């Protein structure tokens, strides 16, 4: 399935796929292919923990609902007057924090779901830019001019050690807790990484959640649209 939207001078096409893999009995990944706006989300349930599929579904549904609600009313930044780019970053951050709260409250109310959690990567195109929200060790990549660039940083114990130079790259390959997360979406105080960048023609952004047992991804590709012949002003460049 794929769908496209006009975002400024760019046409952004979205497509997504998830696969259960060969190890687990059920799929714990969830993804959002946009219907109303240029928003895509990938969430990977914590494998081996209770109800990872529930956590990822709550995350995707909550972020989707928050964006649809604020599309009608606008994000609430009272009492602060923020620049438009900061408003969009806050909008993304609030969406993920709401999802985290819903996961935590659901787990607290149902003992069978205690400890559930998930990663999330969300990408939203607006104002000639794209905005990324990130929690955990799923990733967002940009593929452009034959180069692949990772746009997020893993919230993992391994990456924390590498960043603090407690491990070398070679030691990281054999690190016994490579899949331990330092920042899953499952606690009442979780923080969110947000960023923004400018799309460009013939570039592709991919939100990925992949392990040895399963994979899930949503891809957004950008192409430059020519202005119509009747346009009185040229399209803006990115």
């Amino acid at each position: 399935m794929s769908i496209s939207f006009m975002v400024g001078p760019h046409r952004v096409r979205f497509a997504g796929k998830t696969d259960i893999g060969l190890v687990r009995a059920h799929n714990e990944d969830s993804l959002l292919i946009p219907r109303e706006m240029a928003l895509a989300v990938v969430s990977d349930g914590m494998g081996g923990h209770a109800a990872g599929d529930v956590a990822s579904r709550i995350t995707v549904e909550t972020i989707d609902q928050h964006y649809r609600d604020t599309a009608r009313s606008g994000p609430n930044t009272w009492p602060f007057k923020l620049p438009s780019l900061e408003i969009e970053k806050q909008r993304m951050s609030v969406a993920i924090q709401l999802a985290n709260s819903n996961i935590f409250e659901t787990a607290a109310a149902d003992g069978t779901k205690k400890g559930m959690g998930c990663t999330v990567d969300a990408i939203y195109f607006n104002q000639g830019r794209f905005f990324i929200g990130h929690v955990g060790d799923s990733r967002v990549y940009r593929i452009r001019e034959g180069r692949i660039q990772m746009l997020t940083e893993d919230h993992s114990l391994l990456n924390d050690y590498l960043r603090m130079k407690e491990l070398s790259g070679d030691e990281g390959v054999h690190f016994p807790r490579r899949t331990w997360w330092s920042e899953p979406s499952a606690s009442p105080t979780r923080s969110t990484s947000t960023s923004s960048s400018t799309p460009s023609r013939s570039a592709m952004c991919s939100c990925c959640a992949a392990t040895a047992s399963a994979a899930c991804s949503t891809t957004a590709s950008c192409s430059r649209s020519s202005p119509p012949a009747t346009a009185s002003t040229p399209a803006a460049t990115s």
Side-chain angles (χ1 to χ4, degrees):
M1 172 185 175
S2 67
I3 188 170
S4 66
F5 295 86
M6 287 301 301
V7 180
H10 298 97
R11 177 167 293 279
V12 184
R13 182 170 296 278
F14 295 86
K17 183 175 177 60
T18 180
D19 190 281
I20 193 172
L22 302 175
V23 176
R24 303 199 182 279
H26 66 285
N27 196 338
E28 296 187 335
D29 301 332
S30 298
L31 59 82
L32 172 69
I33 301 298
R35 294 167 294 175
E36 301 175 14
M37 64 188 75
L39 168 72
V41 185
V42 165
S43 182
D44 178 11
M46 289 166 59
H49 291 253
D53 56 330
V54 177
S56 67
R57 176 176 52 79
I58 289 173
T59 295
V60 168
E61 291 177 353
T62 302
I63 294 172
D64 181 31
Q65 186 63 53
H66 177 71
Y67 267 82
R68 286 191 280 120
D69 289 345
T70 52
R72 292 188 288 268
S73 61
N76 183 6
T77 64
W78 184 91
F80 307 106
K81 186 175 182 180
L82 300 176
S84 58
L85 292 182
E86 290 303 314
I87 289 175
E88 288 300 342
K89 287 184 181 180
Q90 184 187 71
R91 187 183 186 190
M92 177 68 76
S93 180
V94 169
I96 294 177
Q97 289 169 10
L98 286 172
N100 182 71
S101 295
N102 289 343
I103 292 170
F104 186 78
E105 291 171 3
T106 301
D110 185 347
T112 66
K113 298 180 176 61
K114 183 178 179 180
M116 71 176 180
C118 61
T119 70
V120 62
D121 275 313
I123 186 167
Y124 175 59
F125 290 79
N126 191 25
Q127 302 179 28
R129 302 182 69 85
F130 61 85
F131 299 84
I132 296 171
H134 167 69
V135 176
D137 63 354
S138 296
R139 295 173 174 179
V140 178
Y141 294 93
R142 175 163 54 193
I143 305 168
R144 181 170 61 182
E145 297 177 350
R147 296 175 57 243
I148 300 176
Q149 177 188 8
M150 190 166 73
L151 301 181
T152 54
E153 184 174 290
D154 291 354
H155 297 152
S156 67
L157 186 62
L158 169 59
N159 198 52
D160 287 348
Y161 274 102
L162 292 172
R163 189 171 60 248
M164 293 185 295
K165 303 190 185 318
E166 296 289 334
L167 290 174
S168 67
D170 290 339
E171 289 172 326
V173 173
H174 304 289
F175 189 64
R177 299 180 180 87
R178 291 175 59 85
T179 59
W180 283 27
W181 302 346
S182 59
E183 299 267 5
S185 183
S187 73
T189 57
R190 98 120 278 109
S191 59
T192 304
S193 299
T194 59
S195 60
S196 70
S197 187
T198 305
S200 59
R201 192 173 86 181
S202 301
M204 181 181 297
C205 290
S206 182
C207 303
C208 303
T211 65
S213 59
C216 177
S217 68
T218 300
T219 299
S221 58
C222 301
S223 60
R224 187 60 176 257
S225 294
S226 300
T230 55
S232 57
T233 56
T237 57
S238 62

